[in-house]
Amino acid sequence: EVQLVESGGGLVKPGGSLRLSCAASGFTFSSYSMNWVRQAPGKGLEWVSSISGDSIYIYYADSVKGRFTISRDNAKNSVYLEMYSLRAEDTAFYYCTRVVKPAAYWFHPWGQGTPVTVSS
Amino acid sequence: EIVLTQSPATLSLSPGERATLSCRASESVDIYLAWYQQKLGQAPRLLIYDGSTTATGISARFSGSGSGTDFTLTISSLEPEDFAVYYCQQRRKWPLTFGGGTKVEIK
């Protein structure tokens, strides 16, 4: 069974940093692109970042470009999101997702999410 | 970026009724559109991708259609578990974008 388990969320002050992790299991991790999608409280879904299986292709939403860094460790079956210079508007539930098939950026499955709150 | 506009924002229907949800793109996305369902307190779930391909394990009462700029998600006969929020998403161009969502509520 494919599983994605996020961790690392929490409360951080504006301007602070946080590192989210996503542990994957149940599939050949290196074959699939991985993604982060977030959802602010009471709002819709926002794509944040994607990374290809070999880490060659990396994409960011304009809202996080220059502040967030996505990476992966295929030996550890994990993907990470390092978040810097956090702002109140980064407050959201952050979901780790796989693509449904290699290089097709449809999100399936999803982890349970980890909450990030940016507040003083 | 490609803007996806979903309508209506809220759809009030009774169990057993047919639901028709719309997603319109600001420019052509070919067939590269997906639909997700999100129930309260849960992560989203992929229902349809490539415009009309049903994801694994999804009931046949869900169907997708459309291409270019206009897409439709149809739920043929609403079950109690179908009352949720539905989002569309495109992968034609970066950045990947979602629509604002349609809430299907019990009338």
Side-chain angles (χ1 to χ4, degrees), chain A residues 39 59 105-107 110-111, chain B residues 32-34 36 38 50 89 91:
Chain A
Q39 186 169 36
Y59 306 92
Y105 286 86
W106 306 128
F107 305 127
W110 297 60
Chain B
Y32 301 119
L33 191 107
Y36 299 83
Q38 187 177 31
D50 290 345
Q89 177 236 326
R91 72 168 186 91

Side-chain angles (χ1 to χ4, degrees), chain A:
Chain A
E1 179 195 2
V2 175
Q3 277 202 313
L4 302 171
V5 180
E6 303 95 333
S7 60
L11 174 63
V12 61
K13 289 182 168 54
S17 303
L18 210 56
R19 187 195 200 209
L20 306 183
S21 300
C22 172
S25 60
F27 63 100
T28 305
F29 183 71
S30 60
S31 296
Y32 290 83
S33 297
M34 298 296 294
N35 319 272
W36 290 94
V37 176
R38 69 183 181 183
Q39 186 169 36
K43 302 297 185 182
L45 302 171
E46 180 188 15
W47 168 76
V48 174
S49 184
S50 299
I51 184 168
S52 62
D54 54 11
S55 300
I56 290 177
Y57 300 101
I58 290 176
Y59 306 92
Y60 296 101
D62 284 347
S63 58
V64 306
K65 200 173 293 183
R67 301 187 299 120
F68 289 14
T69 301
I70 192 171
S71 62
R72 63 190 295 158
D73 185 336
N74 287 345
K76 294 184 177 179
N77 286 358
S78 293
V79 61
Y80 309 98
L81 187 68
E82 300 203 59
M83 305 184 293
Y84 304 96
S85 302
L86 283 162
R87 306 166 180 166
E89 54 265 36
D90 296 317
T91 294
F93 233 76
Y94 284 73
Y95 294 101
C96 170
T97 77
R98 198 195 74 175
V99 294
V100 69
K101 50 184 178 179
Y105 286 86
W106 306 128
F107 305 127
H108 173 79
W110 297 60
Q112 84 288 352
T114 187
V116 171
T117 302
V118 183
S119 174
S120 53

Side-chain angles (χ1 to χ4, degrees), chain B residues 25-86:
Chain B
S26 59
E27 62 183 269
S28 176
V29 298
D30 297 328
I31 63 165
Y32 301 119
L33 191 107
W35 292 92
Y36 299 83
Q37 176 195 66
Q38 187 177 31
K39 298 179 183 179
L40 195 62
Q42 296 185 17
R45 175 174 71 146
L46 178 67
L47 299 175
I48 304 286
Y49 62 93
D50 290 345
S52 61
T53 301
T54 305
T56 302
I58 300 302
S59 169
R61 64 180 181 274
F62 292 93
S63 63
S65 63
S67 63
T69 60
D70 290 296
F71 296 83
T72 300
L73 173 70
T74 301
I75 311 171
S76 58
S77 178
L78 282 164
E79 297 287 337
E81 61 267 28
D82 298 336
F83 291 92
V85 180
Y86 293 82

Side-chain angles (χ1 to χ4, degrees), chain B residues 12-32:
Chain B
S12 299
L13 295 168
S14 301
E17 289 194 292
R18 182 184 188 89
T20 303
L21 287 65
S22 173
C23 178
R24 177 164 289 177
S26 59
E27 62 183 269
S28 176
V29 298
D30 297 328
I31 63 165
Y32 301 119

